[in-house]
Amino acid sequence: MSGSGVSRVSVERLEPSREAPHAVGESPLWRADEQALYWVDIPARQLHRVTPADGEHRQWTFPEQLACFSFDASGTLLAACETGLFAVRLGAPGEVRAEAWTRLAAPVFPASGMRFNDGRCDRQGRFWAGTMVADMSLASDAGSLFRFDETQWLSAPLVDGLVTQNGLGFSPDSRTLYLSDSHPTVRRVWAFDFDAQHGAIGNRRLFVDMTQYPGRPDGAAVDADGCYWTCANDGGRLLRFTPAGVLDREIVLPVSKPSMCAFGGRDFDTLFVTSIRPGANANEHDGHVFAVRCGVQGLPEAPYAGTLPVASV
């Protein structure tokens, strides 16, 4: 549905009905070669995988919290965790042994209690991820945005002063990077000019002031038309903004705290949405993952362009 009205659409529960809800479901990523969706439950330290065609569900438990991730072309996982970036080759579902990890890089955290949060690869295969103080009640602006390039070099902070970094996305023409801060005290999305050749950003400007809309701008995805979809956390909906920052679509969801969305499915016409289960007044849907048929198509996520060390688990 076009226009600024609210569109109520049916959504499909992705996981089997017997599965328990997630405390903080995040970072959905569609792997086209597997026709499978991966995502994390951050406090549970778990990575999940479901193949929608048959409902098979696998999960791995990590030694520390995993917030966002990518894969290289060989299928090695690039994991952004509490203490840094790691490479791991996923084996059989179950516990991931810490000794099987290969540590790649880590920022110098300027405050205690920090971890990585939202991240993804740009269309050239560089991995971008931001950090935050895990205790959001502190409202600390110690978070930053980093770039991890194909040579396994972690940049200095490229954006700092972030409270709850979120909303990373890249325009189809690789000319714009999007970034949000979903903390209740900020609630803004910015756009940056993006130099695709060098991975540089500049000309930061306000893209969307979410104080004018329901919810907080959590994880996001950019569709093939260049429109920016954000999960309105605490607003119970998906909001789509045109490249000019104009709201042109809303989809109401059966969860109060949608957390991140990603396009997938055989034709990339399904928007997969993770969610967070609130501590009080949770409903039967909160904390689950949903597949939304939204009438538009997305683009495949680029794999990490470098070659990660192979670790076995």
Side-chain angles (χ1 to χ4, degrees), residues 62-98:
F62 283 66
E64 61 182 64
Q65 292 182 5
L66 165 66
C68 59
F69 60 94
S70 185
F71 291 88
D72 71 4
S74 73
T76 300
L77 186 77
L78 171 55
C81 301
E82 290 178 79
T83 62
L85 301 176
F86 297 85
V88 62
R89 173 74 72 176
L90 293 175
E95 295 284 339
V96 175
R97 302 193 312 269

Side-chain angles (χ1 to χ4, degrees), residues 25-37:
E26 276 282 7
S27 298
L29 176 67
W30 180 257
R31 292 268 290 165
D33 58 342
E34 302 176 28
Q35 289 294 293
L37 184 78

Side-chain angles (χ1 to χ4, degrees), residues 5-64:
V6 175
S7 174
R8 292 187 178 273
V9 299
S10 61
V11 296
E12 178 183 353
R13 169 89 168 268
L14 184 67
E15 314 110 301
S17 59
R18 65 181 181 276
E19 299 294 340
H22 309 299
V24 183
E26 276 282 7
S27 298
L29 176 67
W30 180 257
R31 292 268 290 165
D33 58 342
E34 302 176 28
Q35 289 294 293
L37 184 78
Y38 289 80
W39 71 93
V40 304
D41 182 349
I42 295 178
R45 300 181 286 109
Q46 290 177 338
L47 175 70
H48 293 262
R49 175 190 184 273
V50 160
T51 48
D54 59 12
E56 182 189 25
H57 186 185
R58 304 177 188 176
Q59 65 185 54
W60 297 263
T61 302
F62 283 66
E64 61 182 64

